[in-house]
mmCIF file of all heavy atoms in Angstrom:
data_model
loop_
_atom_site.group_PDB
_atom_site.id
_atom_site.type_symbol
_atom_site.label_atom_id
_atom_site.label_comp_id
_atom_site.label_asym_id
_atom_site.label_seq_id
_atom_site.Cartn_x
_atom_site.Cartn_y
_atom_site.Cartn_z
ATOM 1 N N ALA A 1 7.657 13.450 -1.102
ATOM 2 C CA ALA A 1 6.634 13.024 -0.145
ATOM 3 C C ALA A 1 5.234 13.191 -0.730
ATOM 4 O O ALA A 1 4.376 12.316 -0.607
ATOM 5 C CB ALA A 1 6.769 13.813 1.153
ATOM 6 N N SER A 2 5.027 14.339 -1.404
ATOM 7 C CA SER A 2 3.712 14.618 -2.004
ATOM 8 C C SER A 2 3.400 13.629 -3.109
ATOM 9 O O SER A 2 2.281 13.099 -3.195
ATOM 10 C CB SER A 2 3.712 16.052 -2.558
ATOM 11 O OG SER A 2 2.507 16.315 -3.227
ATOM 12 N N ASP A 3 4.400 13.346 -3.976
ATOM 13 C CA ASP A 3 4.180 12.411 -5.087
ATOM 14 C C ASP A 3 3.948 10.983 -4.584
ATOM 15 O O ASP A 3 3.129 10.251 -5.143
ATOM 16 C CB ASP A 3 5.371 12.445 -6.047
ATOM 17 C CG ASP A 3 5.281 13.604 -7.035
ATOM 18 O OD1 ASP A 3 4.329 14.388 -6.916
ATOM 19 O OD2 ASP A 3 6.149 13.722 -7.908
ATOM 20 N N LEU A 4 4.691 10.602 -3.549
ATOM 21 C CA LEU A 4 4.493 9.261 -2.977
ATOM 22 C C LEU A 4 3.085 9.102 -2.443
ATOM 23 O O LEU A 4 2.441 8.066 -2.623
ATOM 24 C CB LEU A 4 5.506 9.017 -1.855
ATOM 25 C CG LEU A 4 6.928 8.625 -2.288
ATOM 26 C CD1 LEU A 4 7.866 8.627 -1.083
ATOM 27 C CD2 LEU A 4 6.951 7.257 -2.959
ATOM 28 N N HIS A 5 2.600 10.156 -1.784
ATOM 29 C CA HIS A 5 1.269 10.087 -1.176
ATOM 30 C C HIS A 5 0.158 10.214 -2.212
ATOM 31 O O HIS A 5 -0.777 9.412 -2.252
ATOM 32 C CB HIS A 5 1.134 11.192 -0.120
ATOM 33 C CG HIS A 5 -0.196 11.186 0.574
ATOM 34 N ND1 HIS A 5 -1.278 11.911 0.120
ATOM 35 C CD2 HIS A 5 -0.619 10.538 1.682
ATOM 36 C CE1 HIS A 5 -2.305 11.708 0.922
ATOM 37 N NE2 HIS A 5 -1.938 10.889 1.878
ATOM 38 N N ASP A 6 0.278 11.249 -3.066
ATOM 39 C CA ASP A 6 -0.829 11.582 -3.959
ATOM 40 C C ASP A 6 -0.863 10.762 -5.237
ATOM 41 O O ASP A 6 -1.943 10.442 -5.736
ATOM 42 C CB ASP A 6 -0.776 13.081 -4.344
ATOM 43 C CG ASP A 6 -0.930 13.970 -3.134
ATOM 44 O OD1 ASP A 6 -1.481 13.511 -2.129
ATOM 45 O OD2 ASP A 6 -0.484 15.123 -3.206
ATOM 46 N N ASN A 7 0.305 10.439 -5.793
ATOM 47 C CA ASN A 7 0.341 9.763 -7.089
ATOM 48 C C ASN A 7 0.602 8.262 -6.956
ATOM 49 O O ASN A 7 -0.246 7.436 -7.286
ATOM 50 C CB ASN A 7 1.408 10.391 -7.992
ATOM 51 C CG ASN A 7 1.085 11.840 -8.306
ATOM 52 O OD1 ASN A 7 -0.056 12.240 -8.317
ATOM 53 N ND2 ASN A 7 2.111 12.626 -8.550
ATOM 54 N N ILE A 8 1.796 7.938 -6.452
ATOM 55 C CA ILE A 8 2.177 6.524 -6.394
ATOM 56 C C ILE A 8 1.307 5.748 -5.399
ATOM 57 O O ILE A 8 0.878 4.630 -5.669
ATOM 58 C CB ILE A 8 3.685 6.384 -6.045
ATOM 59 C CG1 ILE A 8 4.503 7.030 -7.166
ATOM 60 C CG2 ILE A 8 4.065 4.914 -5.882
ATOM 61 C CD1 ILE A 8 5.962 7.212 -6.852
ATOM 62 N N GLY A 9 1.017 6.375 -4.247
ATOM 63 C CA GLY A 9 0.156 5.719 -3.263
ATOM 64 C C GLY A 9 -1.219 5.404 -3.837
ATOM 65 O O GLY A 9 -1.767 4.303 -3.624
ATOM 66 N N GLN A 10 -1.754 6.362 -4.589
ATOM 67 C CA GLN A 10 -3.077 6.167 -5.198
ATOM 68 C C GLN A 10 -3.036 5.091 -6.269
ATOM 69 O O GLN A 10 -3.944 4.243 -6.352
ATOM 70 C CB GLN A 10 -3.557 7.481 -5.801
ATOM 71 C CG GLN A 10 -5.002 7.429 -6.300
ATOM 72 C CD GLN A 10 -5.462 8.770 -6.849
ATOM 73 O OE1 GLN A 10 -4.640 9.573 -7.271
ATOM 74 N NE2 GLN A 10 -6.753 8.997 -6.862
ATOM 75 N N LEU A 11 -1.983 5.087 -7.092
ATOM 76 C CA LEU A 11 -1.857 4.074 -8.132
ATOM 77 C C LEU A 11 -1.750 2.664 -7.549
ATOM 78 O O LEU A 11 -2.395 1.727 -8.040
ATOM 79 C CB LEU A 11 -0.608 4.356 -9.000
ATOM 80 C CG LEU A 11 -0.720 5.509 -10.007
ATOM 81 C CD1 LEU A 11 0.656 5.863 -10.549
ATOM 82 C CD2 LEU A 11 -1.667 5.155 -11.143
ATOM 83 N N LEU A 12 -0.962 2.525 -6.477
ATOM 84 C CA LEU A 12 -0.798 1.202 -5.860
ATOM 85 C C LEU A 12 -2.069 0.762 -5.142
ATOM 86 O O LEU A 12 -2.404 -0.434 -5.131
ATOM 87 C CB LEU A 12 0.379 1.218 -4.894
ATOM 88 C CG LEU A 12 1.769 1.374 -5.558
ATOM 89 C CD1 LEU A 12 2.857 1.488 -4.510
ATOM 90 C CD2 LEU A 12 2.056 0.194 -6.497
ATOM 91 N N SER A 13 -2.790 1.708 -4.570
ATOM 92 C CA SER A 13 -4.083 1.367 -3.937
ATOM 93 C C SER A 13 -5.079 0.867 -4.973
ATOM 94 O O SER A 13 -5.805 -0.106 -4.731
ATOM 95 C CB SER A 13 -4.651 2.601 -3.216
ATOM 96 O OG SER A 13 -3.833 2.980 -2.135
ATOM 97 N N LEU A 14 -5.110 1.543 -6.135
ATOM 98 C CA LEU A 14 -5.994 1.104 -7.218
ATOM 99 C C LEU A 14 -5.601 -0.279 -7.737
ATOM 100 O O LEU A 14 -6.450 -1.103 -8.078
ATOM 101 C CB LEU A 14 -5.970 2.117 -8.366
ATOM 102 C CG LEU A 14 -6.768 3.406 -8.157
ATOM 103 C CD1 LEU A 14 -6.456 4.416 -9.252
ATOM 104 C CD2 LEU A 14 -8.264 3.109 -8.132
ATOM 105 N N THR A 15 -4.268 -0.519 -7.785
ATOM 106 C CA THR A 15 -3.771 -1.829 -8.229
ATOM 107 C C THR A 15 -4.260 -2.920 -7.281
ATOM 108 O O THR A 15 -4.774 -3.960 -7.716
ATOM 109 C CB THR A 15 -2.241 -1.837 -8.289
ATOM 110 O OG1 THR A 15 -1.779 -0.766 -9.117
ATOM 111 C CG2 THR A 15 -1.735 -3.151 -8.846
ATOM 112 N N ALA A 16 -4.092 -2.658 -5.970
ATOM 113 C CA ALA A 16 -4.515 -3.640 -4.967
ATOM 114 C C ALA A 16 -6.023 -3.880 -5.049
ATOM 115 O O ALA A 16 -6.498 -5.027 -4.963
ATOM 116 C CB ALA A 16 -4.136 -3.165 -3.575
ATOM 117 N N LEU A 17 -6.784 -2.806 -5.229
ATOM 118 C CA LEU A 17 -8.242 -2.910 -5.320
ATOM 119 C C LEU A 17 -8.659 -3.739 -6.530
ATOM 120 O O LEU A 17 -9.559 -4.601 -6.438
ATOM 121 C CB LEU A 17 -8.830 -1.504 -5.424
ATOM 122 C CG LEU A 17 -10.315 -1.322 -5.107
ATOM 123 C CD1 LEU A 17 -10.606 -1.625 -3.649
ATOM 124 C CD2 LEU A 17 -10.753 0.094 -5.435
ATOM 125 N N THR A 18 -7.984 -3.494 -7.664
ATOM 126 C CA THR A 18 -8.306 -4.227 -8.894
ATOM 127 C C THR A 18 -7.976 -5.706 -8.748
ATOM 128 O O THR A 18 -8.767 -6.585 -9.138
ATOM 129 C CB THR A 18 -7.528 -3.640 -10.091
ATOM 130 O OG1 THR A 18 -7.804 -2.231 -10.189
ATOM 131 C CG2 THR A 18 -7.928 -4.303 -11.389
ATOM 132 N N LEU A 19 -6.798 -6.017 -8.169
ATOM 133 C CA LEU A 19 -6.400 -7.411 -7.986
ATOM 134 C C LEU A 19 -7.326 -8.137 -7.017
ATOM 135 O O LEU A 19 -7.670 -9.306 -7.211
ATOM 136 C CB LEU A 19 -4.957 -7.484 -7.502
ATOM 137 C CG LEU A 19 -3.883 -7.115 -8.523
ATOM 138 C CD1 LEU A 19 -2.505 -7.023 -7.860
ATOM 139 C CD2 LEU A 19 -3.844 -8.120 -9.684
ATOM 140 N N ASN A 20 -7.724 -7.431 -5.953
ATOM 141 C CA ASN A 20 -8.620 -8.039 -4.960
ATOM 142 C C ASN A 20 -10.014 -8.315 -5.522
ATOM 143 O O ASN A 20 -10.750 -9.159 -4.996
ATOM 144 C CB ASN A 20 -8.735 -7.140 -3.727
ATOM 145 C CG ASN A 20 -7.508 -7.232 -2.832
ATOM 146 O OD1 ASN A 20 -6.847 -8.264 -2.779
ATOM 147 N ND2 ASN A 20 -7.180 -6.147 -2.147
ATOM 148 N N SER A 21 -10.368 -7.589 -6.576
ATOM 149 C CA SER A 21 -11.717 -7.765 -7.149
ATOM 150 C C SER A 21 -11.771 -8.899 -8.182
ATOM 151 O O SER A 21 -12.837 -9.188 -8.724
ATOM 152 C CB SER A 21 -12.184 -6.453 -7.797
ATOM 153 O OG SER A 21 -11.420 -6.179 -8.963
ATOM 154 N N ILE A 22 -10.613 -9.503 -8.460
ATOM 155 C CA ILE A 22 -10.581 -10.601 -9.440
ATOM 156 C C ILE A 22 -11.304 -11.819 -8.893
ATOM 157 O O ILE A 22 -11.073 -12.264 -7.757
ATOM 158 C CB ILE A 22 -9.130 -10.961 -9.811
ATOM 159 C CG1 ILE A 22 -8.499 -9.851 -10.667
ATOM 160 C CG2 ILE A 22 -9.074 -12.296 -10.559
ATOM 161 C CD1 ILE A 22 -7.033 -10.057 -10.965
ATOM 162 N N ASN A 23 -12.204 -12.344 -9.676
ATOM 163 C CA ASN A 23 -12.955 -13.554 -9.324
ATOM 164 C C ASN A 23 -12.606 -14.642 -10.336
ATOM 165 O O ASN A 23 -12.902 -14.528 -11.523
ATOM 166 C CB ASN A 23 -14.458 -13.260 -9.335
ATOM 167 C CG ASN A 23 -15.288 -14.438 -8.812
ATOM 168 O OD1 ASN A 23 -14.797 -15.568 -8.732
ATOM 169 N ND2 ASN A 23 -16.532 -14.160 -8.463
ATOM 170 N N LEU A 24 -11.939 -15.688 -9.856
ATOM 171 C CA LEU A 24 -11.487 -16.758 -10.747
ATOM 172 C C LEU A 24 -12.662 -17.502 -11.402
ATOM 173 O O LEU A 24 -12.468 -18.234 -12.386
ATOM 174 C CB LEU A 24 -10.607 -17.750 -9.982
ATOM 175 C CG LEU A 24 -9.284 -17.161 -9.447
ATOM 176 C CD1 LEU A 24 -8.525 -18.202 -8.651
ATOM 177 C CD2 LEU A 24 -8.429 -16.655 -10.599
ATOM 178 N N ASN A 25 -13.853 -17.319 -10.861
ATOM 179 C CA ASN A 25 -15.023 -17.965 -11.439
ATOM 180 C C ASN A 25 -15.618 -17.147 -12.576
ATOM 181 O O ASN A 25 -16.645 -17.558 -13.160
ATOM 182 C CB ASN A 25 -16.094 -18.189 -10.358
ATOM 183 C CG ASN A 25 -15.608 -19.166 -9.301
ATOM 184 O OD1 ASN A 25 -14.955 -20.153 -9.604
ATOM 185 N ND2 ASN A 25 -15.931 -18.875 -8.041
ATOM 186 N N GLU A 26 -15.008 -15.992 -12.882
ATOM 187 C CA GLU A 26 -15.462 -15.149 -14.000
ATOM 188 C C GLU A 26 -14.316 -14.950 -14.994
ATOM 189 O O GLU A 26 -13.722 -13.868 -15.093
ATOM 190 C CB GLU A 26 -15.951 -13.788 -13.487
ATOM 191 C CG GLU A 26 -17.161 -13.875 -12.570
ATOM 192 C CD GLU A 26 -17.587 -12.498 -12.045
ATOM 193 O OE1 GLU A 26 -16.749 -11.576 -12.027
ATOM 194 O OE2 GLU A 26 -18.752 -12.359 -11.659
ATOM 195 N N PRO A 27 -13.964 -16.000 -15.727
ATOM 196 C CA PRO A 27 -12.803 -15.927 -16.636
ATOM 197 C C PRO A 27 -12.925 -14.858 -17.715
ATOM 198 O O PRO A 27 -11.926 -14.330 -18.191
ATOM 199 C CB PRO A 27 -12.750 -17.331 -17.252
ATOM 200 C CG PRO A 27 -14.114 -17.904 -17.029
ATOM 201 C CD PRO A 27 -14.640 -17.289 -15.776
ATOM 202 N N GLN A 28 -14.164 -14.504 -18.111
ATOM 203 C CA GLN A 28 -14.350 -13.506 -19.153
ATOM 204 C C GLN A 28 -13.912 -12.111 -18.696
ATOM 205 O O GLN A 28 -13.571 -11.246 -19.517
ATOM 206 C CB GLN A 28 -15.821 -13.478 -19.626
ATOM 207 C CG GLN A 28 -16.826 -12.970 -18.615
ATOM 208 C CD GLN A 28 -17.294 -14.042 -17.640
ATOM 209 O OE1 GLN A 28 -16.719 -15.126 -17.575
ATOM 210 N NE2 GLN A 28 -18.352 -13.738 -16.909
ATOM 211 N N ARG A 29 -13.894 -11.833 -17.382
ATOM 212 C CA ARG A 29 -13.468 -10.533 -16.857
ATOM 213 C C ARG A 29 -12.034 -10.574 -16.331
ATOM 214 O O ARG A 29 -11.457 -9.540 -16.010
ATOM 215 C CB ARG A 29 -14.404 -10.110 -15.719
ATOM 216 C CG ARG A 29 -15.857 -9.942 -16.177
ATOM 217 C CD ARG A 29 -16.742 -9.526 -15.039
ATOM 218 N NE ARG A 29 -16.382 -8.206 -14.528
ATOM 219 C CZ ARG A 29 -16.917 -7.652 -13.427
ATOM 220 N NH1 ARG A 29 -17.825 -8.319 -12.747
ATOM 221 N NH2 ARG A 29 -16.532 -6.469 -13.037
ATOM 222 N N LEU A 30 -11.461 -11.766 -16.254
ATOM 223 C CA LEU A 30 -10.136 -11.941 -15.673
ATOM 224 C C LEU A 30 -9.056 -11.210 -16.457
ATOM 225 O O LEU A 30 -8.246 -10.477 -15.894
ATOM 226 C CB LEU A 30 -9.818 -13.441 -15.590
ATOM 227 C CG LEU A 30 -8.489 -13.830 -14.932
ATOM 228 C CD1 LEU A 30 -8.462 -13.385 -13.481
ATOM 229 C CD2 LEU A 30 -8.272 -15.331 -15.017
ATOM 230 N N GLU A 31 -9.026 -11.395 -17.781
ATOM 231 C CA GLU A 31 -7.988 -10.780 -18.626
ATOM 232 C C GLU A 31 -8.012 -9.258 -18.531
ATOM 233 O O GLU A 31 -6.978 -8.600 -18.423
ATOM 234 C CB GLU A 31 -8.167 -11.216 -20.072
ATOM 235 C CG GLU A 31 -7.062 -10.711 -20.997
ATOM 236 C CD GLU A 31 -7.232 -11.170 -22.435
ATOM 237 O OE1 GLU A 31 -8.108 -12.028 -22.708
ATOM 238 O OE2 GLU A 31 -6.482 -10.659 -23.287
ATOM 239 N N LYS A 32 -9.228 -8.684 -18.543
ATOM 240 C CA LYS A 32 -9.369 -7.229 -18.473
ATOM 241 C C LYS A 32 -8.798 -6.687 -17.171
ATOM 242 O O LYS A 32 -8.067 -5.691 -17.161
ATOM 243 C CB LYS A 32 -10.848 -6.852 -18.603
ATOM 244 C CG LYS A 32 -11.071 -5.349 -18.600
ATOM 245 C CD LYS A 32 -12.563 -5.018 -18.652
ATOM 246 C CE LYS A 32 -12.765 -3.522 -18.558
ATOM 247 N NZ LYS A 32 -14.203 -3.153 -18.524
ATOM 248 N N LYS A 33 -9.087 -7.357 -16.060
ATOM 249 C CA LYS A 33 -8.615 -6.855 -14.758
ATOM 250 C C LYS A 33 -7.099 -7.018 -14.596
ATOM 251 O O LYS A 33 -6.435 -6.179 -14.003
ATOM 252 C CB LYS A 33 -9.362 -7.574 -13.626
ATOM 253 C CG LYS A 33 -10.836 -7.206 -13.580
ATOM 254 C CD LYS A 33 -11.416 -7.339 -12.200
ATOM 255 C CE LYS A 33 -12.822 -6.750 -12.180
ATOM 256 N NZ LYS A 33 -13.377 -6.726 -10.811
ATOM 257 N N VAL A 34 -6.568 -8.106 -15.132
ATOM 258 C CA VAL A 34 -5.117 -8.302 -15.083
ATOM 259 C C VAL A 34 -4.416 -7.221 -15.915
ATOM 260 O O VAL A 34 -3.390 -6.651 -15.502
ATOM 261 C CB VAL A 34 -4.733 -9.714 -15.584
ATOM 262 C CG1 VAL A 34 -3.214 -9.820 -15.783
ATOM 263 C CG2 VAL A 34 -5.196 -10.766 -14.585
ATOM 264 N N THR A 35 -4.971 -6.917 -17.093
ATOM 265 C CA THR A 35 -4.399 -5.861 -17.958
ATOM 266 C C THR A 35 -4.443 -4.508 -17.248
ATOM 267 O O THR A 35 -3.472 -3.736 -17.284
ATOM 268 C CB THR A 35 -5.178 -5.781 -19.292
ATOM 269 O OG1 THR A 35 -5.105 -7.057 -19.942
ATOM 270 C CG2 THR A 35 -4.576 -4.721 -20.192
ATOM 271 N N GLU A 36 -5.570 -4.202 -16.612
ATOM 272 C CA GLU A 36 -5.699 -2.949 -15.869
ATOM 273 C C GLU A 36 -4.646 -2.869 -14.757
ATOM 274 O O GLU A 36 -4.020 -1.814 -14.550
ATOM 275 C CB GLU A 36 -7.100 -2.836 -15.253
ATOM 276 C CG GLU A 36 -8.186 -2.502 -16.251
ATOM 277 C CD GLU A 36 -9.580 -2.515 -15.624
ATOM 278 O OE1 GLU A 36 -9.673 -2.743 -14.402
ATOM 279 O OE2 GLU A 36 -10.561 -2.304 -16.354
ATOM 280 N N SER A 37 -4.436 -3.970 -14.060
ATOM 281 C CA SER A 37 -3.461 -4.014 -12.964
ATOM 282 C C SER A 37 -2.049 -3.791 -13.492
ATOM 283 O O SER A 37 -1.252 -3.049 -12.885
ATOM 284 C CB SER A 37 -3.536 -5.363 -12.234
ATOM 285 O OG SER A 37 -4.812 -5.547 -11.666
ATOM 286 N N LEU A 38 -1.717 -4.426 -14.632
ATOM 287 C CA LEU A 38 -0.385 -4.245 -15.230
ATOM 288 C C LEU A 38 -0.161 -2.795 -15.650
ATOM 289 O O LEU A 38 0.932 -2.236 -15.453
ATOM 290 C CB LEU A 38 -0.231 -5.174 -16.442
ATOM 291 C CG LEU A 38 0.009 -6.656 -16.124
ATOM 292 C CD1 LEU A 38 -0.055 -7.477 -17.407
ATOM 293 C CD2 LEU A 38 1.376 -6.845 -15.444
ATOM 294 N N ASN A 39 -1.182 -2.162 -16.205
ATOM 295 C CA ASN A 39 -1.077 -0.754 -16.603
ATOM 296 C C ASN A 39 -0.834 0.149 -15.393
ATOM 297 O O ASN A 39 -0.034 1.085 -15.457
ATOM 298 C CB ASN A 39 -2.347 -0.310 -17.341
ATOM 299 C CG ASN A 39 -2.458 -0.918 -18.727
ATOM 300 O OD1 ASN A 39 -1.455 -1.311 -19.317
ATOM 301 N ND2 ASN A 39 -3.672 -0.982 -19.255
ATOM 302 N N LEU A 40 -1.516 -0.134 -14.290
ATOM 303 C CA LEU A 40 -1.330 0.635 -13.054
ATOM 304 C C LEU A 40 0.070 0.457 -12.498
ATOM 305 O O LEU A 40 0.707 1.403 -12.029
ATOM 306 C CB LEU A 40 -2.389 0.238 -12.029
ATOM 307 C CG LEU A 40 -3.815 0.707 -12.304
ATOM 308 C CD1 LEU A 40 -4.809 -0.027 -11.401
ATOM 309 C CD2 LEU A 40 -3.936 2.217 -12.092
ATOM 310 N N VAL A 41 0.566 -0.788 -12.543
ATOM 311 C CA VAL A 41 1.925 -1.066 -12.049
ATOM 312 C C VAL A 41 2.957 -0.344 -12.913
ATOM 313 O O VAL A 41 3.907 0.264 -12.405
ATOM 314 C CB VAL A 41 2.206 -2.589 -12.031
ATOM 315 C CG1 VAL A 41 3.691 -2.857 -11.797
ATOM 316 C CG2 VAL A 41 1.381 -3.256 -10.946
#
């Protein structure tokens, strides 16, 4: 329960935050954010 809340929950929240911040009109930052999301997953 502690790991789900403190570790995995936080990692998935960061993943969602990173994906939501992707702007298709900024292709130069797109690859970096996708890579960050994959690392979090």
